[in-house]
Amino acid sequence: MSDSGRKKSRLVADKRYSKRKPAPQKRRKAPARRRPKRGARVRNPLLRLFLWIAHLIWRVTWALGWRIALVSVLIIGIATGYVYATLPPAGQLLDGRASGSVTLMDRENAVFAWRGDQFGGVVTAETVSPHLKNAVIATEDKRFYRHIGLDPIGIAGAIRINLREGRGPLSGNGGSTITQQTAKLLCLGVKYDPDVWESETAYEADCRESSLWRKAKEAIYALALEAKYTKDDILSIYLNRAYMGGGAYGAEAASQRFFGKSAAQLTPAESAILAGLLTAPTTLAPTNNLERSRNRASVVIGLMRDQGYLSDSAARQALANPATLSEAAESRAGGYFADWVMSSGPDFFTRNTSEDVIIRTTLDQRIQKAAEDGLTEIFENKVRDDSEAQAAVVVMSADGAVRAMVGGRQTKAIGAFNRATQALRQTGSAFKPFVYATALELGYSPLDTVEDEPLTIDVPGSGPWSPKNYDRKFRGTVTLAEALRSSLNVPAVRIAQGVGLDRVRRVAADFGIESDLALGPALALGASESTLIEMTGAYAGILNGGSAVTPYGLENLTMLGEKEPVMTATGGIGERVIRREAAQKLTWMMNRVVNQGTGRRAALDGWQVAGKTGTTQAARDAWFIGFTADYVAGVWMGYDDNTPLTGVTGSGLPAEIWHEVMTRVHEGAAPRPLPMQEPDAATQPDPRAPNRRSRPESGIERLLRSILGGG
């Protein structure tokens, strides 16, 4: 049966599930605020105008900015590429001096002075002492190995410091990297051209210009350097070209100049000195002010410690043991002697050399110190502190080789007026030996006599002239030896008149006194002017037996790297002026000056000394020149403005200076006798005999007697 028509009854389960609980009603959220749709119109017209302008500016700025940046990058890239293409190999940039150097060596081949632009040789970042490398980086550019040639952090810091200290942003601290400093040292690749620049000074001033445009070009050049070379190449160029004071260019020259050693051997303390010089090489040079240089070095050591280049203990040790200068550096630049040698050689090999030159000289540094110490001893102990009197000393060998020279009280002055070689002063009685040399050459004996009595000479154009002795007294008949021993004026004039003034003038000139010699009879009393070195050289001619001497200090001159000298000494012993016998008799007479006469304060214990004092009119000049068997030395004393000395004669302070100097010079040496000949008194006429000559014969009388014979 079909039940399709019957209504189907619902199941129990259906009923159960159909009676579900109604779903809880959700809480309605508060309607969100409507945000204005993009592009919605701002109703405030002023605000709307402002927003429009700001938007326009932003779009224009962005559009121009990226284009300008792109163009700038392209320009910098092209400029850097151009500079890159012009850069030579790094090795060609290591020596950048405009002129050459002169190295002066003493008689023992030890360096004692440098002149010109000194370049000790090429070093590299790998060959120098690591302490020097670290000191330079710590001081000049601590991010050197991390930047691309420019250091924005350093530049910003430098500008901040400059503004804080009231300077312009580019004045003072520059924040330059080592690469930028190298670019400046290379003058941005511009070489000196005399047709373009008025002088090298103008060229160098342009290289140091610090304008904004110059800084921009410097930055481009620095980028090119970084692209072309390695960091160590750049550091090597910097270490070779940087000026480090004292005429030294580069680390090797500075190391040799100040410490007498290679740059590879520098200690931390020495490295700190050199790195500290880079800030202000002239001001901080240890030869100018060692204490100031050490103070700067202590700052550098602190930087090295802070950046990890030195341990605390190593830094403490470097601070406790500061660097000391070498002996050559202590002597500064050779003083007056080096100045004189530099002026005596050809200009193109000395003062304006474009090459590196080595000059071997006659200087003996031990004797130089003796001359300086002897002069200082007298001025410190026997001259008033406020005195402006000056003095000069020259010591030489009998052949004219100058062993020491002091040109003034400031014994280590450089480039100063040299009173030993440049001051023309009246010689006074120091000239008298040449009067007696002339007489002895003509055959006179030291025991011949001359009258010390009033004398009047009619000088053409000047009228009568009556010479007087220093003490205004007359002694009657005296021997030539006695007249020289007591420095009597009247006998000297009589002898000069007797032998002929022309002969005296010629003998003095032949001995090397090249200055204009007086024409009148006052010639015999030293009215002529001369220099100390001329007079000392003339006395050397007496010591060597009567031959002329040309004082010299240059032994030979050699180009660096060459073996054969370009030039050799131009001085030394020349032609004979008087006979050896005459020179030896004159030496005996001058020995009596020191033993018994006016030069007694110059006597040396154990040594035979010959010499002569000299005092000019009104005591404007005081001299003592003398010699032992080993050396001849001259001393001059006076004022630069010709003010008369007070209580000073040649027999006083000059003789004492001579004594102090020569005592030190001969220290430790075995005494040697002077080459002198004492006259034989037995061959001399009886001084009481009526026919005893009271004056020297004239040249004509002597000539006639030699022809006709007779006593």
Side-chain angles (χ1 to χ4, degrees), residues 555-568:
E555 286 274 11
N556 58 62
L557 185 151
T558 308
M559 309 301 293
L560 183 65
E562 301 292 333
K563 293 183 178 180
E564 294 299 320
V566 176
M567 63 177 294
T568 55

Side-chain angles (χ1 to χ4, degrees), residues 232-400:
D232 281 349
D233 284 340
I234 295 170
L235 185 58
S236 297
I237 296 170
Y238 182 71
L239 289 173
N240 281 281
R241 294 182 75 102
Y243 180 61
M244 294 187 170
Y249 282 79
E252 184 66 18
S255 181
Q256 295 288 353
R257 171 72 177 89
F258 301 128
F259 308 119
K261 63 171 65 173
S262 167
Q265 302 171 317
L266 293 172
T267 65
E270 293 165 343
S271 299
I273 288 275
L274 296 191
L277 291 174
L278 296 168
T279 303
T282 301
T283 304
L284 295 175
T287 48
N288 289 338
N289 190 318
L290 181 58
E291 189 62 28
R292 184 164 51 199
S293 184
R294 284 174 170 173
N295 290 339
R296 173 60 180 167
S298 65
V299 175
V300 175
I301 291 170
L303 292 173
M304 294 173 71
R305 178 195 58 214
D306 295 343
Q307 295 177 37
Y309 293 118
L310 285 178
S311 64
D312 289 342
S313 60
R316 284 195 299 271
Q317 183 177 4
L319 292 171
N321 300 280
T324 57
L325 297 179
S326 66
E327 290 184 8
E330 288 282 8
S331 67
R332 298 173 68 90
Y336 296 101
F337 180 87
D339 286 342
W340 174 62
V341 170
M342 291 289 288
S343 66
S344 65
D347 186 70
F348 53 85
F349 277 144
T350 53
R351 298 173 295 282
N352 293 319
T353 179
S354 60
E355 305 291 338
D356 292 319
V357 173
I358 298 173
I359 297 178
R360 185 173 183 271
T361 73
T362 60
L363 181 72
D364 187 313
Q365 295 199 62
R366 182 188 67 83
I367 296 178
Q368 177 68 29
K369 186 176 187 304
E372 294 172 0
D373 292 349
L375 180 64
T376 302
E377 172 73 18
I378 295 300
F379 270 90
E380 286 184 350
N381 297 301
K382 296 194 175 184
V383 179
R384 298 191 321 270
D385 292 340
D386 61 348
S387 173
E388 296 183 2
Q390 284 289 347
V393 180
V394 172
V395 183
M396 67 176 65
S397 299
D399 64 349

Side-chain angles (χ1 to χ4, degrees), residues 27 102 163 423 566 675:
R27 183 181 296 176
V102 179
L163 294 175
V566 176

Side-chain angles (χ1 to χ4, degrees), residues 598-623:
T598 59
R600 280 173 288 191
R601 293 189 186 182
L604 300 177
D605 291 340
W607 286 84
Q608 292 180 339
V609 176
K612 184 68 187 74
T613 58
T615 308
T616 62
Q617 187 177 16
R620 290 186 174 89
D621 303 278
W623 306 70

Side-chain angles (χ1 to χ4, degrees), residues 54-101:
H55 181 66
L56 178 63
I57 291 174
W58 165 250
R59 293 188 63 181
V60 171
T61 302
W62 170 253
L64 291 176
W66 73 263
R67 288 174 173 82
I68 292 173
L70 178 61
V71 172
S72 298
V73 169
L74 289 174
I75 292 174
I76 292 173
I78 293 171
T80 302
Y82 172 77
V83 174
Y84 175 95
T86 63
L87 291 174
Q92 296 181 16
L93 301 177
L94 299 179
D95 184 359
R97 296 168 301 156
S99 60
S101 66

